[in-house]
Amino acid sequence: MKKRTEVSSAVIRRLPRYRRILRDLLNRKVDAVSSTELSGLMNYTASQIRQDLNNFGSFGLQGYGYNVEGLYRQITAILGLEKEYRMIIVGTGNLGQAIANYTHFYKSGFETVALFDINPKLIGLQINDIHVLDFQFIDEFLNKNRIDIGIVTTNEGNAQIVADKLIKGGVKGIWNFTPAELELPHGIAVENAHLSDSLQLLSYQINQDELSLYQRKSS
């Protein structure tokens, strides 16, 4: 298997979708699938699929294709999903509460163990059987508990302060839902979920489709 640093981020970002498709195939009792069949399910070319998977090793057999269960397990291991992760959410407004209530995380090995906020009206509130704690006690909590992932859903101005406390407390990965560009030390993983960026990309795709349709009609 190649080192992660040798694999493009674009390929890595496609892995969760491969895993989701393979899980669906497993649920349908499918034993083997070819790159051509995967192409039809994923709207990638068969060549692209083979190139993507070859980054991590040789998984397919000529004349047989990919063993669905084996490939699913391999991608699960590549993504580090064979172990469980403990998470906390800082910021329990509408977005933070929605994430806390999203039960699929628990089924996937991601457990939210604590919630934090500075708003007195939210502190003490129970969300999905977890009480919201006062942010001023987060240092003490992190010193006593192993936390793998910190989810930041505060306002932009407080995001860096929160990130610094999470890192000081031993958190190794941050899921950032704020517009802030966090300054993080080497070795800290971050995934920026900028919702407005995603919406703008959707706008781009809509306009590109409309432009393409207009050009076909005009030609």
Side-chain angles (χ1 to χ4, degrees):
M1 184 183 299
K2 292 186 178 181
K3 295 180 180 179
R4 178 178 173 181
T5 53
E6 297 178 0
V7 181
S8 75
S9 60
V11 173
I12 294 171
R13 288 185 179 279
R14 287 195 284 269
L15 290 181
R17 187 160 182 238
Y18 281 113
R19 184 174 180 269
R20 188 166 62 250
I21 295 295
L22 290 166
R23 184 185 61 218
D24 291 342
L25 291 174
L26 279 175
N27 290 337
R28 290 159 45 195
K29 310 299 183 183
V30 176
D31 294 323
V33 63
S34 69
S35 57
T36 301
E37 290 168 329
L38 280 176
S39 174
L41 294 170
M42 304 185 67
N43 293 322
Y44 303 155
T45 66
S47 176
Q48 180 67 68
I49 289 170
R50 290 192 295 270
Q51 289 177 28
D52 284 354
L53 297 178
N54 284 342
N55 278 288
F56 303 97
S58 300
F59 300 123
L61 295 175
Q62 189 171 4
Y64 177 80
Y66 299 102
N67 178 274
V68 173
E69 183 175 3
L71 185 56
Y72 175 82
R73 291 182 181 278
Q74 289 282 354
I75 292 177
T76 296
I78 291 167
L79 288 171
L81 297 176
E82 293 181 316
K83 56 185 179 180
E84 295 184 349
Y85 295 87
R86 291 164 54 86
M87 310 189 300
I88 63 173
I89 299 173
V90 183
T92 53
N94 292 334
L95 180 56
Q97 291 185 34
I99 295 172
N101 280 312
Y102 188 52
T103 57
H104 179 72
F105 291 146
Y106 301 91
K107 299 174 183 178
S108 303
F110 296 89
E111 181 186 7
T112 301
V113 298
L115 310 170
F116 289 89
D117 209 291
I118 60 173
N119 187 342
K121 294 181 179 179
L122 294 174
I123 295 170
L125 183 69
Q126 185 170 304
I127 304 170
N128 204 3
D129 296 328
I130 306 172
H131 285 93
V132 178
L133 305 176
D134 192 328
F135 180 70
Q136 67 175 315
F137 300 120
I138 193 170
D139 293 337
E140 179 182 350
F141 179 88
L142 291 171
N143 286 335
K144 293 181 179 179
N145 297 273
R146 189 204 90 237
I147 300 299
D148 304 298
I149 297 172
I151 303 174
V152 183
T153 59
T154 63
N155 60 41
E156 182 177 1
N158 288 327
Q160 187 66 56
I161 296 171
V162 170
D164 291 343
K165 282 187 172 291
L166 291 172
I167 294 165
K168 183 180 178 181
V171 171
K172 295 301 183 184
I174 293 178
W175 198 8
N176 175 32
F177 280 85
T178 79
E181 295 295 334
L182 301 176
E183 295 182 8
L184 305 174
H186 180 73
I188 300 298
V190 62
E191 181 65 25
N192 293 304
H194 297 329
L195 300 183
S196 60
D197 287 5
S198 181
L199 192 59
Q200 290 169 33
L201 290 173
L202 179 60
S203 171
Y204 170 82
Q205 294 175 39
I206 291 171
N207 282 277
Q208 288 300 303
D209 290 343
E210 290 177 348
L211 178 60
S212 177
L213 179 61
Y214 173 79
Q215 289 173 338
R216 287 199 300 271
K217 289 182 177 179
S218 301
S219 61

